[in-house]
């Protein structure tokens, strides 16, 4: 008889979600991501901040960029702290000439990047041949 070992399956540390290019994308993806973050046992304050950052990045991709767009979440634990990286990659600005897309309700928009900057430990963009990746890293308090 051979000894049987308990096999430890590592927890998923990445989640990738294609983003539908429709106004309802934010609500649909938030519901899905809320489940992922709960399965990852993130601290409630980190999960709520992450949902807000995700909502802002998805809104920017749907309103201001060309499809396709993809959300990528990855988590890590360093020094006993939880960290979450949020990335949204899109195909670049929707305006062919590179100018910002006209906003039909300017009073209701324009604060998303400020919100992301306030909540994230670090954030930024990466331009590449396939488009633009907007990213933010959040740390548990």
């Amino acid at each position: 008889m051979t000894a049987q070992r308990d096999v430890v399956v590592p927890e998923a540390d990445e989640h990738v979600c294609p983003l539908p290019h429709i106004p309802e994308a934010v609500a649909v993806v938030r519901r899905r991501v809320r489940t992922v973050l709960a399965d990852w046992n993130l601290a409630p304050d980190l999960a709520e901040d992450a949902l807000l950052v995700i909502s802002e990045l998805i809104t920017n991709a749907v309103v201001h960029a060309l499809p396709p767009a993809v959300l990528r979440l990855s988590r890590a634990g360093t020094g006993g702290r939880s960290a979450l990286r949020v990335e949204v990659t899109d195909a670049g600005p929707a305006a062919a000439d590179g100018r910002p897309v006209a906003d039909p309700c300017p009073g209701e928009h324009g604060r998303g990047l400020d919100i992301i900057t306030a909540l994230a430990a670090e954030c930024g963009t990466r331009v590449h041949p396939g488009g633009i990746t907007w990213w933010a890293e959040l740390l548990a308090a």
Side-chain angles (χ1 to χ4, degrees):
M1 180 184 272
T2 59
Q4 183 177 355
R5 290 186 183 175
D6 291 332
V7 177
V8 177
V9 178
E11 295 180 46
D13 60 359
E14 185 173 77
H15 179 78
V16 178
C17 177
L19 300 174
H21 204 75
I22 57 174
E24 298 82 13
V26 175
V28 170
V29 174
R30 273 181 67 100
R31 281 191 296 275
R32 180 174 177 179
V33 168
R34 186 180 300 276
T35 302
V36 170
L37 298 179
D39 289 346
W40 285 355
N41 294 317
L42 291 183
D45 58 334
L46 177 59
E48 287 304 314
D49 287 353
L51 286 169
L52 184 52
V53 167
I54 290 164
S55 296
E56 295 299 335
L57 290 176
I58 292 170
T59 298
N60 288 346
V62 171
V63 172
H64 301 291
L66 295 170
V70 175
L71 168 69
R72 179 180 309 275
L73 303 174
S74 56
R75 68 177 175 145
T78 57
R81 297 183 67 180
S82 296
L84 179 70
R85 183 174 177 98
V86 177
E87 297 180 357
V88 173
T89 300
D90 59 52
D97 60 4
R99 289 180 299 144
V101 177
D103 188 351
C105 305
E108 295 180 17
H109 301 284
R111 294 177 291 277
L113 294 178
D114 290 337
I115 291 169
I116 294 165
T117 301
L119 295 174
E122 293 184 59
C123 60
T125 59
R126 184 173 54 87
V127 178
H128 45 85
I132 300 172
T133 299
W134 299 81
W135 60 270
E137 292 183 355
L138 294 94
L139 301 175

